[in-house]
Amino acid sequence: MVANRGGYKYWLGGTFVHSSTSTAAPEATVGHFAAPTLLNPAVAVPAMPRAAFAPRPQQPDWRSAARVPATAVQAPRAAALKAVAGADIPWGAVRSDLRALVDEQKCAPILLRLAWHDAGTYDKASNTGGPRAAQQYPGGEDAHGANAGLDIARDLLQPLKARYPDMSMADLWALAAVVAIEASGGPVIPFRPGRVDAKSAAESVEDGRLPDATQGVDHLRSVFGRMGLDDADIVALSGAHTLGRAHKDRSGFEGPWTENPLVFDNSYFKDLLTKKWTKVTNSEGNEQYADETGEVMMLPSDMALLEDPIFKGLVEKYAADQTAYFKDFSTAYQKLSELGIPQAEVPWAALKADIAQLVLDKGCAPILVRLAWHDAGTYDKVSQTGGPRAAMRFAAGGEAQHGANAGLDVARELLQPIADKYPSVSAADLWAYASIVATEVSGGPSIPFRPGRKDAVTVEESVEDGRLPDATQSTNHLRDVFGRMGMTDEEIVALSGAHTLGRAHLDRSGFDGPWTENPLEFDNSYFKNLLERKWTVKANSVGNIQFEDETQTLMMLTSDVALLMDPEFRKHVERFAADEQAFFKVYAQAYQKLTEGGCPFLNGAISVPTGGGNRAAGGGNRAGGGGKRAAVRRFLAKIFG
């Protein structure tokens, strides 16, 4: 996989993309790694032709015999999904409808307030309150003073509840707030369905559980502590006042907190610190604070954040660093919105079946592998930055615009329906898991998978361009780049073997041709070809250097041939060429290491079975006497039951 902008060519784990200052266009080629939950918060880069990733008509598709009709997988998939909350709800469509509502009605602040006031009633000790949409019933929480005016938000959302009747009202309110925050420029917040609606107003909790705007530090710690939230959560969630304004007829206070009350940013914290605040009594007789212009205001509970040294330190942190604020707000708001919701097990078997069917239908294994590889391959072990965070989901700059990632919008679009179906799976987990399943479906090893990757919440979490391997470079460069991730020589060579999948495309990368005879089959042909074929250097039609075999049908790149020039690299090439099981074993270990780079939160994660029973512990899949094709068919049969 290769992508190149400004004359740089990057090794993309299965294909290379090259764009130079000459005629070569940035490439997104078939390569190796995988897919997301919210895959595309904005609009991705222009899509490459999907036909580029389908099997060539002249090449026999050995997998076709194992292809399973959609109807054959409905029963096992339905069984796996039966107990999963929201499994049959088209979350992507719901999100789209909510975004249209926010854009049309400019109602982000009140949607956020509705969900906040629904969830903020939670009491950890008694396990009562929390997001149950009890406000929908007259005579209960809807009549609480803090909820005055929220009938407007409930009325705005009612048509969507009628359109999607199987969705709980509480899930709708929660997702509406998440979409509202994103639409206003705020962070992406993970959304997990599973909230159960109150049955009547009788399930309402007593008035007074929400924060009181007239109170100070002790009150804030008492109210938020009752929910199980800490000081960082208190300050981060208080920053939601960056959206909206107070209305005298609802709260007894008047005015916006910031100059742009429809924009979610860190202005609230900046204003707290930099403006001169004067206590005033408004026309309702309530005390609030006005800035020197009289245009914006703060409440006593806002000013309290400056009175406590811990709170003030966090205010200063968030005022100085919006990215840090967005990350902490996303974490805190997810906690708030999920208070009292039991954890639901992800139906990994059903998810695996959906990914496998996608790979079979679209022939897209190479680009799924490439997606996950390029997500994880940005990891820097020293700085603990980069790694699998699905930062490419953001189209407005960042990693989506890196030359090496050209064309990966195709993979994200292919996975979007699956992401919509499993909203509780993080984008980074889905990308990693999709690549692992794609590798197995293509005949490769079983790779261990542990969920728990956390998605980037803003484009500012993207790392600088240039962290992925450069296809035009040699051994020292490979050791530098892979060494930054903590990889050994053996692992460098094994991961290079993923070039057994995919091909380079001249119009995308400036290189042309497959590495192996069967670019949709994962085996050790890459290493055999490196050693056994006669490679001749040539300048291709756009002037880029690549290597051509004696048949003029296969190619290698400079970084591939470099593996033969170094004695330490070469010994691993020779070993993997002679022993496919050895290659598979090392590749599985190295790939797991790659996809878990910088993820300490995985330490306590539960492993998800990935193998189909056709090979042992990441070894070769020729064992058992049936050959590779029979083994893959057994694997698929295991998935589809």
Side-chain angles (χ1 to χ4, degrees), residues 20 43 52 56 81 102 262 316 329 342 347-348 372 380 414 436 464 467 512 524 530 542 553:
S20 67
V43 179
R56 284 183 164 186
L81 290 170
V102 171
L262 291 177
E316 292 170 340
F329 181 86
W348 294 104
D380 185 304
L414 285 170
I436 286 170
E464 71 280 3
R467 288 198 178 187
D512 188 44
N524 66 341
L530 262 177
V542 295
T553 60

mmCIF file with all atom_site columns, all heavy atoms in Angstrom, residues 20 43 52 56 81 102 262 316 329 342 347-348 372 380 414 436 464 467 512 524 530 542 553:
data_model
loop_
_atom_site.group_PDB
_atom_site.id
_atom_site.type_symbol
_atom_site.label_atom_id
_atom_site.label_alt_id
_atom_site.label_comp_id
_atom_site.label_asym_id
_atom_site.label_entity_id
_atom_site.label_seq_id
_atom_site.pdbx_PDB_ins_code
_atom_site.Cartn_x
_atom_site.Cartn_y
_atom_site.Cartn_z
_atom_site.occupancy
_atom_site.B_iso_or_equiv
_atom_site.pdbx_formal_charge
_atom_site.auth_seq_id
_atom_site.auth_comp_id
_atom_site.auth_asym_id
_atom_site.auth_atom_id
_atom_site.pdbx_PDB_model_num
ATOM 1   N N   . SER A 1 20  ? 3.786   12.532  -6.545  1.00 0.00 ? 20  SER A N   1
ATOM 2   C CA  . SER A 1 20  ? 4.971   13.363  -6.634  1.00 0.00 ? 20  SER A CA  1
ATOM 3   C C   . SER A 1 20  ? 4.592   14.696  -7.224  1.00 0.00 ? 20  SER A C   1
ATOM 4   O O   . SER A 1 20  ? 3.442   14.985  -7.485  1.00 0.00 ? 20  SER A O   1
ATOM 5   C CB  . SER A 1 20  ? 6.016   12.675  -7.516  1.00 0.00 ? 20  SER A CB  1
ATOM 6   O OG  . SER A 1 20  ? 5.559   12.624  -8.847  1.00 0.00 ? 20  SER A OG  1
ATOM 7   N N   . VAL A 1 43  ? -17.099 14.506  6.394   1.00 0.00 ? 43  VAL A N   1
ATOM 8   C CA  . VAL A 1 43  ? -17.093 13.949  5.046   1.00 0.00 ? 43  VAL A CA  1
ATOM 9   C C   . VAL A 1 43  ? -15.680 13.517  4.736   1.00 0.00 ? 43  VAL A C   1
ATOM 10  O O   . VAL A 1 43  ? -14.730 14.264  4.927   1.00 0.00 ? 43  VAL A O   1
ATOM 11  C CB  . VAL A 1 43  ? -17.549 14.994  4.014   1.00 0.00 ? 43  VAL A CB  1
ATOM 12  C CG1 . VAL A 1 43  ? -17.522 14.411  2.621   1.00 0.00 ? 43  VAL A CG1 1
ATOM 13  C CG2 . VAL A 1 43  ? -18.951 15.471  4.364   1.00 0.00 ? 43  VAL A CG2 1
ATOM 14  N N   . ALA A 1 52  ? -11.765 -1.092  -7.971  1.00 0.00 ? 52  ALA A N   1
ATOM 15  C CA  . ALA A 1 52  ? -10.327 -1.326  -7.842  1.00 0.00 ? 52  ALA A CA  1
ATOM 16  C C   . ALA A 1 52  ? -10.021 -2.371  -6.793  1.00 0.00 ? 52  ALA A C   1
ATOM 17  O O   . ALA A 1 52  ? -8.938  -2.947  -6.773  1.00 0.00 ? 52  ALA A O   1
ATOM 18  C CB  . ALA A 1 52  ? -9.621  -0.022  -7.478  1.00 0.00 ? 52  ALA A CB  1
ATOM 19  N N   . ARG A 1 56  ? -10.117 -9.437  -9.861  1.00 0.00 ? 56  ARG A N   1
ATOM 20  C CA  . ARG A 1 56  ? -10.034 -9.269  -11.309 1.00 0.00 ? 56  ARG A CA  1
ATOM 21  C C   . ARG A 1 56  ? -10.802 -10.390 -12.003 1.00 0.00 ? 56  ARG A C   1
ATOM 22  O O   . ARG A 1 56  ? -10.671 -11.558 -11.631 1.00 0.00 ? 56  ARG A O   1
ATOM 23  C CB  . ARG A 1 56  ? -8.572  -9.318  -11.753 1.00 0.00 ? 56  ARG A CB  1
ATOM 24  C CG  . ARG A 1 56  ? -7.800  -8.048  -11.443 1.00 0.00 ? 56  ARG A CG  1
ATOM 25  C CD  . ARG A 1 56  ? -6.399  -8.171  -11.973 1.00 0.00 ? 56  ARG A CD  1
ATOM 26  N NE  . ARG A 1 56  ? -5.736  -6.887  -12.045 1.00 0.00 ? 56  ARG A NE  1
ATOM 27  C CZ  . ARG A 1 56  ? -4.545  -6.706  -12.588 1.00 0.00 ? 56  ARG A CZ  1
ATOM 28  N NH1 . ARG A 1 56  ? -3.901  -7.744  -13.097 1.00 0.00 ? 56  ARG A NH1 1
ATOM 29  N NH2 . ARG A 1 56  ? -3.993  -5.523  -12.614 1.00 0.00 ? 56  ARG A NH2 1
ATOM 30  N N   . LEU A 1 81  ? -27.664 -11.692 18.119  1.00 0.00 ? 81  LEU A N   1
ATOM 31  C CA  . LEU A 1 81  ? -28.066 -10.314 18.329  1.00 0.00 ? 81  LEU A CA  1
ATOM 32  C C   . LEU A 1 81  ? -29.327 -10.168 19.166  1.00 0.00 ? 81  LEU A C   1
ATOM 33  O O   . LEU A 1 81  ? -29.650 -9.071  19.608  1.00 0.00 ? 81  LEU A O   1
ATOM 34  C CB  . LEU A 1 81  ? -28.297 -9.629  16.976  1.00 0.00 ? 81  LEU A CB  1
ATOM 35  C CG  . LEU A 1 81  ? -27.052 -9.356  16.135  1.00 0.00 ? 81  LEU A CG  1
ATOM 36  C CD1 . LEU A 1 81  ? -27.474 -8.909  14.744  1.00 0.00 ? 81  LEU A CD1 1
ATOM 37  C CD2 . LEU A 1 81  ? -26.185 -8.302  16.782  1.00 0.00 ? 81  LEU A CD2 1
ATOM 38  N N   . VAL A 1 102 ? -30.792 19.218  14.105  1.00 0.00 ? 102 VAL A N   1
ATOM 39  C CA  . VAL A 1 102 ? -29.943 20.213  14.763  1.00 0.00 ? 102 VAL A CA  1
ATOM 40  C C   . VAL A 1 102 ? -29.599 21.346  13.806  1.00 0.00 ? 102 VAL A C   1
ATOM 41  O O   . VAL A 1 102 ? -29.655 22.532  14.169  1.00 0.00 ? 102 VAL A O   1
ATOM 42  C CB  . VAL A 1 102 ? -28.660 19.549  15.301  1.00 0.00 ? 102 VAL A CB  1
ATOM 43  C CG1 . VAL A 1 102 ? -27.672 20.597  15.797  1.00 0.00 ? 102 VAL A CG1 1
ATOM 44  C CG2 . VAL A 1 102 ? -28.990 18.573  16.423  1.00 0.00 ? 102 VAL A CG2 1
ATOM 45  N N   . LEU A 1 262 ? -23.781 28.795  20.065  1.00 0.00 ? 262 LEU A N   1
ATOM 46  C CA  . LEU A 1 262 ? -24.077 27.606  19.259  1.00 0.00 ? 262 LEU A CA  1
ATOM 47  C C   . LEU A 1 262 ? -22.800 26.878  18.837  1.00 0.00 ? 262 LEU A C   1
ATOM 48  O O   . LEU A 1 262 ? -22.848 25.961  18.024  1.00 0.00 ? 262 LEU A O   1
ATOM 49  C CB  . LEU A 1 262 ? -24.894 27.990  18.015  1.00 0.00 ? 262 LEU A CB  1
ATOM 50  C CG  . LEU A 1 262 ? -26.328 28.462  18.276  1.00 0.00 ? 262 LEU A CG  1
ATOM 51  C CD1 . LEU A 1 262 ? -26.995 28.871  16.966  1.00 0.00 ? 262 LEU A CD1 1
ATOM 52  C CD2 . LEU A 1 262 ? -27.147 27.382  18.979  1.00 0.00 ? 262 LEU A CD2 1
ATOM 53  N N   . GLU A 1 316 ? -7.873  26.169  34.194  1.00 0.00 ? 316 GLU A N   1
ATOM 54  C CA  . GLU A 1 316 ? -6.698  26.692  33.495  1.00 0.00 ? 316 GLU A CA  1
ATOM 55  C C   . GLU A 1 316 ? -6.197  25.715  32.428  1.00 0.00 ? 316 GLU A C   1
ATOM 56  O O   . GLU A 1 316 ? -5.800  26.131  31.331  1.00 0.00 ? 316 GLU A O   1
ATOM 57  C CB  . GLU A 1 316 ? -5.594  26.992  34.508  1.00 0.00 ? 316 GLU A CB  1
ATOM 58  C CG  . GLU A 1 316 ? -5.942  28.157  35.428  1.00 0.00 ? 316 GLU A CG  1
ATOM 59  C CD  . GLU A 1 316 ? -4.977  28.320  36.584  1.00 0.00 ? 316 GLU A CD  1
ATOM 60  O OE1 . GLU A 1 316 ? -4.261  27.332  36.911  1.00 0.00 ? 316 GLU A OE1 1
ATOM 61  O OE2 . GLU A 1 316 ? -4.941  29.407  37.184  1.00 0.00 ? 316 GLU A OE2 1
ATOM 62  N N   . PHE A 1 329 ? -13.865 15.927  28.317  1.00 0.00 ? 329 PHE A N   1
ATOM 63  C CA  . PHE A 1 329 ? -15.319 16.078  28.246  1.00 0.00 ? 329 PHE A CA  1
ATOM 64  C C   . PHE A 1 329 ? -15.954 14.832  27.649  1.00 0.00 ? 329 PHE A C   1
ATOM 65  O O   . PHE A 1 329 ? -16.997 14.361  28.129  1.00 0.00 ? 329 PHE A O   1
ATOM 66  C CB  . PHE A 1 329 ? -15.712 17.301  27.416  1.00 0.00 ? 329 PHE A CB  1
ATOM 67  C CG  . PHE A 1 329 ? -17.208 17.500  27.356  1.00 0.00 ? 329 PHE A CG  1
ATOM 68  C CD1 . PHE A 1 329 ? -17.871 18.193  28.349  1.00 0.00 ? 329 PHE A CD1 1
ATOM 69  C CD2 . PHE A 1 329 ? -17.965 16.954  26.320  1.00 0.00 ? 329 PHE A CD2 1
ATOM 70  C CE1 . PHE A 1 329 ? -19.261 18.353  28.313  1.00 0.00 ? 329 PHE A CE1 1
ATOM 71  C CE2 . PHE A 1 329 ? -19.343 17.103  26.269  1.00 0.00 ? 329 PHE A CE2 1
ATOM 72  C CZ  . PHE A 1 329 ? -19.993 17.809  27.276  1.00 0.00 ? 329 PHE A CZ  1
ATOM 73  N N   . PRO A 1 342 ? -26.582 -1.165  32.546  1.00 0.00 ? 342 PRO A N   1
ATOM 74  C CA  . PRO A 1 342 ? -25.744 -2.368  32.643  1.00 0.00 ? 342 PRO A CA  1
ATOM 75  C C   . PRO A 1 342 ? -24.906 -2.561  31.390  1.00 0.00 ? 342 PRO A C   1
ATOM 76  O O   . PRO A 1 342 ? -25.328 -2.215  30.283  1.00 0.00 ? 342 PRO A O   1
ATOM 77  C CB  . PRO A 1 342 ? -26.761 -3.498  32.816  1.00 0.00 ? 342 PRO A CB  1
ATOM 78  C CG  . PRO A 1 342 ? -28.025 -2.970  32.213  1.00 0.00 ? 342 PRO A CG  1
ATOM 79  C CD  . PRO A 1 342 ? -28.017 -1.494  32.486  1.00 0.00 ? 342 PRO A CD  1
ATOM 80  N N   . PRO A 1 347 ? -21.884 -8.729  20.597  1.00 0.00 ? 347 PRO A N   1
ATOM 81  C CA  . PRO A 1 347 ? -22.057 -10.009 19.898  1.00 0.00 ? 347 PRO A CA  1
ATOM 82  C C   . PRO A 1 347 ? -20.952 -10.213 18.869  1.00 0.00 ? 347 PRO A C   1
ATOM 83  O O   . PRO A 1 347 ? -21.152 -10.080 17.662  1.00 0.00 ? 347 PRO A O   1
ATOM 84  C CB  . PRO A 1 347 ? -23.430 -9.859  19.241  1.00 0.00 ? 347 PRO A CB  1
ATOM 85  C CG  . PRO A 1 347 ? -23.547 -8.393  18.972  1.00 0.00 ? 347 PRO A CG  1
ATOM 86  C CD  . PRO A 1 347 ? -22.845 -7.713  20.120  1.00 0.00 ? 347 PRO A CD  1
ATOM 87  N N   . TRP A 1 348 ? -19.764 -10.566 19.352  1.00 0.00 ? 348 TRP A N   1
ATOM 88  C CA  . TRP A 1 348 ? -18.601 -10.655 18.472  1.00 0.00 ? 348 TRP A CA  1
ATOM 89  C C   . TRP A 1 348 ? -18.781 -11.674 17.362  1.00 0.00 ? 348 TRP A C   1
ATOM 90  O O   . TRP A 1 348 ? -18.284 -11.492 16.249  1.00 0.00 ? 348 TRP A O   1
ATOM 91  C CB  . TRP A 1 348 ? -17.356 -10.967 19.293  1.00 0.00 ? 348 TRP A CB  1
ATOM 92  C CG  . TRP A 1 348 ? -16.978 -9.863  20.225  1.00 0.00 ? 348 TRP A CG  1
ATOM 93  C CD1 . TRP A 1 348 ? -17.153 -9.814  21.580  1.00 0.00 ? 348 TRP A CD1 1
ATOM 94  C CD2 . TRP A 1 348 ? -16.380 -8.603  19.869  1.00 0.00 ? 348 TRP A CD2 1
ATOM 95  N NE1 . TRP A 1 348 ? -16.696 -8.621  22.089  1.00 0.00 ? 348 TRP A NE1 1
ATOM 96  C CE2 . TRP A 1 348 ? -16.220 -7.859  21.063  1.00 0.00 ? 348 TRP A CE2 1
ATOM 97  C CE3 . TRP A 1 348 ? -15.970 -8.036  18.668  1.00 0.00 ? 348 TRP A CE3 1
ATOM 98  C CZ2 . TRP A 1 348 ? -15.661 -6.585  21.080  1.00 0.00 ? 348 TRP A CZ2 1
ATOM 99  C CZ3 . TRP A 1 348 ? -15.417 -6.768  18.676  1.00 0.00 ? 348 TRP A CZ3 1
ATOM 100 C CH2 . TRP A 1 348 ? -15.259 -6.057  19.869  1.00 0.00 ? 348 TRP A CH2 1
ATOM 101 N N   . ALA A 1 372 ? -6.480  -0.614  9.035   1.00 0.00 ? 372 ALA A N   1
ATOM 102 C CA  . ALA A 1 372 ? -6.069  -0.830  10.422  1.00 0.00 ? 372 ALA A CA  1
ATOM 103 C C   . ALA A 1 372 ? -4.568  -0.657  10.592  1.00 0.00 ? 372 ALA A C   1
ATOM 104 O O   . ALA A 1 372 ? -4.094  -0.149  11.607  1.00 0.00 ? 372 ALA A O   1
ATOM 105 C CB  . ALA A 1 372 ? -6.498  -2.223  10.878  1.00 0.00 ? 372 ALA A CB  1
ATOM 106 N N   . ASP A 1 380 ? 4.253   5.766   18.368  1.00 0.00 ? 380 ASP A N   1
ATOM 107 C CA  . ASP A 1 380 ? 5.615   6.080   18.797  1.00 0.00 ? 380 ASP A CA  1
ATOM 108 C C   . ASP A 1 380 ? 5.753   5.650   20.245  1.00 0.00 ? 380 ASP A C   1
ATOM 109 O O   . ASP A 1 380 ? 5.098   6.204   21.142  1.00 0.00 ? 380 ASP A O   1
ATOM 110 C CB  . ASP A 1 380 ? 5.880   7.584   18.669  1.00 0.00 ? 380 ASP A CB  1
ATOM 111 C CG  . ASP A 1 380 ? 7.322   7.946   18.993  1.00 0.00 ? 380 ASP A CG  1
ATOM 112 O OD1 . ASP A 1 380 ? 7.781   7.606   20.098  1.00 0.00 ? 380 ASP A OD1 1
ATOM 113 O OD2 . ASP A 1 380 ? 7.997   8.562   18.156  1.00 0.00 ? 380 ASP A OD2 1
ATOM 114 N N   . LEU A 1 414 ? -17.105 1.194   3.274   1.00 0.00 ? 414 LEU A N   1
ATOM 115 C CA  . LEU A 1 414 ? -17.531 -0.206  3.247   1.00 0.00 ? 414 LEU A CA  1
ATOM 116 C C   . LEU A 1 414 ? -17.951 -0.680  4.635   1.00 0.00 ? 414 LEU A C   1
ATOM 117 O O   . LEU A 1 414 ? -18.881 -1.474  4.781   1.00 0.00 ? 414 LEU A O   1
ATOM 118 C CB  . LEU A 1 414 ? -16.392 -1.089  2.730   1.00 0.00 ? 414 LEU A CB  1
ATOM 119 C CG  . LEU A 1 414 ? -16.111 -1.048  1.225   1.00 0.00 ? 414 LEU A CG  1
ATOM 120 C CD1 . LEU A 1 414 ? -14.809 -1.774  0.915   1.00 0.00 ? 414 LEU A CD1 1
ATOM 121 C CD2 . LEU A 1 414 ? -17.262 -1.653  0.437   1.00 0.00 ? 414 LEU A CD2 1
ATOM 122 N N   . ILE A 1 436 ? -8.324  -8.359  11.091  1.00 0.00 ? 436 ILE A N   1
ATOM 123 C CA  . ILE A 1 436 ? -8.016  -9.713  11.566  1.00 0.00 ? 436 ILE A CA  1
ATOM 124 C C   . ILE A 1 436 ? -8.922  -10.739 10.892  1.00 0.00 ? 436 ILE A C   1
ATOM 125 O O   . ILE A 1 436 ? -8.465  -11.791 10.429  1.00 0.00 ? 436 ILE A O   1
ATOM 126 C CB  . ILE A 1 436 ? -8.135  -9.757  13.100  1.00 0.00 ? 436 ILE A CB  1
ATOM 127 C CG1 . ILE A 1 436 ? -6.931  -9.039  13.727  1.00 0.00 ? 436 ILE A CG1 1
ATOM 128 C CG2 . ILE A 1 436 ? -8.247  -11.193 13.608  1.00 0.00 ? 436 ILE A CG2 1
ATOM 129 C CD1 . ILE A 1 436 ? -7.049  -8.809  15.213  1.00 0.00 ? 436 ILE A CD1 1
ATOM 130 N N   . GLU A 1 464 ? 1.531   13.930  13.191  1.00 0.00 ? 464 GLU A N   1
ATOM 131 C CA  . GLU A 1 464 ? 2.089   14.521  11.978  1.00 0.00 ? 464 GLU A CA  1
ATOM 132 C C   . GLU A 1 464 ? 2.217   13.484  10.872  1.00 0.00 ? 464 GLU A C   1
ATOM 133 O O   . GLU A 1 464 ? 2.330   12.283  11.129  1.00 0.00 ? 464 GLU A O   1
ATOM 134 C CB  . GLU A 1 464 ? 3.455   15.144  12.272  1.00 0.00 ? 464 GLU A CB  1
ATOM 135 C CG  . GLU A 1 464 ? 4.578   14.148  12.528  1.00 0.00 ? 464 GLU A CG  1
ATOM 136 C CD  . GLU A 1 464 ? 4.604   13.555  13.934  1.00 0.00 ? 464 GLU A CD  1
ATOM 137 O OE1 . GLU A 1 464 ? 3.687   13.883  14.727  1.00 0.00 ? 464 GLU A OE1 1
ATOM 138 O OE2 . GLU A 1 464 ? 5.523   12.775  14.235  1.00 0.00 ? 464 GLU A OE2 1
ATOM 139 N N   . ARG A 1 467 ? 4.880   9.254   9.488   1.00 0.00 ? 467 ARG A N   1
ATOM 140 C CA  . ARG A 1 467 ? 5.267   8.217   10.454  1.00 0.00 ? 467 ARG A CA  1
ATOM 141 C C   . ARG A 1 467 ? 5.273   6.820   9.851   1.00 0.00 ? 467 ARG A C   1
ATOM 142 O O   . ARG A 1 467 ? 5.826   5.895   10.446  1.00 0.00 ? 467 ARG A O   1
ATOM 143 C CB  . ARG A 1 467 ? 4.348   8.241   11.673  1.00 0.00 ? 467 ARG A CB  1
ATOM 144 C CG  . ARG A 1 467 ? 4.567   9.422   12.593  1.00 0.00 ? 467 ARG A CG  1
ATOM 145 C CD  . ARG A 1 467 ? 3.967   9.165   13.968  1.00 0.00 ? 467 ARG A CD  1
ATOM 146 N NE  . ARG A 1 467 ? 4.202   10.267  14.888  1.00 0.00 ? 467 ARG A NE  1
ATOM 147 C CZ  . ARG A 1 467 ? 3.904   10.232  16.181  1.00 0.00 ? 467 ARG A CZ  1
ATOM 148 N NH1 . ARG A 1 467 ? 3.362   9.143   16.708  1.00 0.00 ? 467 ARG A NH1 1
ATOM 149 N NH2 . ARG A 1 467 ? 4.144   11.263  16.955  1.00 0.00 ? 467 ARG A NH2 1
ATOM 150 N N   . ASP A 1 512 ? 2.909   0.054   -9.974  1.00 0.00 ? 512 ASP A N   1
ATOM 151 C CA  . ASP A 1 512 ? 1.887   -0.743  -10.639 1.00 0.00 ? 512 ASP A CA  1
ATOM 152 C C   . ASP A 1 512 ? 2.189   -2.226  -10.509 1.00 0.00 ? 512 ASP A C   1
ATOM 153 O O   . ASP A 1 512 ? 3.335   -2.648  -10.706 1.00 0.00 ? 512 ASP A O   1
ATOM 154 C CB  . ASP A 1 512 ? 1.818   -0.377  -12.126 1.00 0.00 ? 512 ASP A CB  1
ATOM 155 C CG  . ASP A 1 512 ? 0.644   -1.045  -12.820 1.00 0.00 ? 512 ASP A CG  1
ATOM 156 O OD1 . ASP A 1 512 ? -0.458  -1.047  -12.231 1.00 0.00 ? 512 ASP A OD1 1
ATOM 157 O OD2 . ASP A 1 512 ? 0.820   -1.561  -13.929 1.00 0.00 ? 512 ASP A OD2 1
ATOM 158 N N   . ASN A 1 524 ? 2.576   -17.378 2.020   1.00 0.00 ? 524 ASN A N   1
ATOM 159 C CA  . ASN A 1 524 ? 3.978   -16.946 2.061   1.00 0.00 ? 524 ASN A CA  1
ATOM 160 C C   . ASN A 1 524 ? 4.576   -16.741 0.674   1.00 0.00 ? 524 ASN A C   1
ATOM 161 O O   . ASN A 1 524 ? 5.794   -16.751 0.498   1.00 0.00 ? 524 ASN A O   1
ATOM 162 C CB  . ASN A 1 524 ? 4.826   -17.940 2.868   1.00 0.00 ? 524 ASN A CB  1
ATOM 163 C CG  . ASN A 1 524 ? 4.914   -19.305 2.206   1.00 0.00 ? 524 ASN A CG  1
ATOM 164 O OD1 . ASN A 1 524 ? 4.084   -19.645 1.356   1.00 0.00 ? 524 ASN A OD1 1
ATOM 165 N ND2 . ASN A 1 524 ? 5.900   -20.099 2.602   1.00 0.00 ? 524 ASN A ND2 1
ATOM 166 N N   . LEU A 1 530 ? 10.266  -13.237 -3.621  1.00 0.00 ? 530 LEU A N   1
ATOM 167 C CA  . LEU A 1 530 ? 11.464  -12.437 -3.383  1.00 0.00 ? 530 LEU A CA  1
ATOM 168 C C   . LEU A 1 530 ? 12.730  -13.238 -3.663  1.00 0.00 ? 530 LEU A C   1
ATOM 169 O O   . LEU A 1 530 ? 13.677  -12.746 -4.281  1.00 0.00 ? 530 LEU A O   1
ATOM 170 C CB  . LEU A 1 530 ? 11.485  -11.936 -1.935  1.00 0.00 ? 530 LEU A CB  1
ATOM 171 C CG  . LEU A 1 530 ? 10.996  -10.523 -1.637  1.00 0.00 ? 530 LEU A CG  1
ATOM 172 C CD1 . LEU A 1 530 ? 11.042  -10.258 -0.141  1.00 0.00 ? 530 LEU A CD1 1
ATOM 173 C CD2 . LEU A 1 530 ? 11.786  -9.465  -2.381  1.00 0.00 ? 530 LEU A CD2 1
ATOM 174 N N   . VAL A 1 542 ? 5.614   6.384   -15.209 1.00 0.00 ? 542 VAL A N   1
ATOM 175 C CA  . VAL A 1 542 ? 5.596   7.739   -14.646 1.00 0.00 ? 542 VAL A CA  1
ATOM 176 C C   . VAL A 1 542 ? 6.944   8.087   -14.031 1.00 0.00 ? 542 VAL A C   1
ATOM 177 O O   . VAL A 1 542 ? 7.078   9.073   -13.304 1.00 0.00 ? 542 VAL A O   1
ATOM 178 C CB  . VAL A 1 542 ? 4.465   7.910   -13.607 1.00 0.00 ? 542 VAL A CB  1
ATOM 179 C CG1 . VAL A 1 542 ? 3.118   7.771   -14.282 1.00 0.00 ? 542 VAL A CG1 1
ATOM 180 C CG2 . VAL A 1 542 ? 4.618   6.940   -12.462 1.00 0.00 ? 542 VAL A CG2 1
ATOM 181 N N   . THR A 1 553 ? 4.913   -9.624  -14.849 1.00 0.00 ? 553 THR A N   1
ATOM 182 C CA  . THR A 1 553 ? 3.558   -9.572  -14.284 1.00 0.00 ? 553 THR A CA  1
ATOM 183 C C   . THR A 1 553 ? 3.556   -9.225  -12.803 1.00 0.00 ? 553 THR A C   1
ATOM 184 O O   . THR A 1 553 ? 2.526   -8.812  -12.274 1.00 0.00 ? 553 THR A O   1
ATOM 185 C CB  . THR A 1 553 ? 2.841   -10.925 -14.463 1.00 0.00 ? 553 THR A CB  1
ATOM 186 O OG1 . THR A 1 553 ? 3.590   -11.948 -13.792 1.00 0.00 ? 553 THR A OG1 1
ATOM 187 C CG2 . THR A 1 553 ? 2.697   -11.267 -15.942 1.00 0.00 ? 553 THR A CG2 1
#
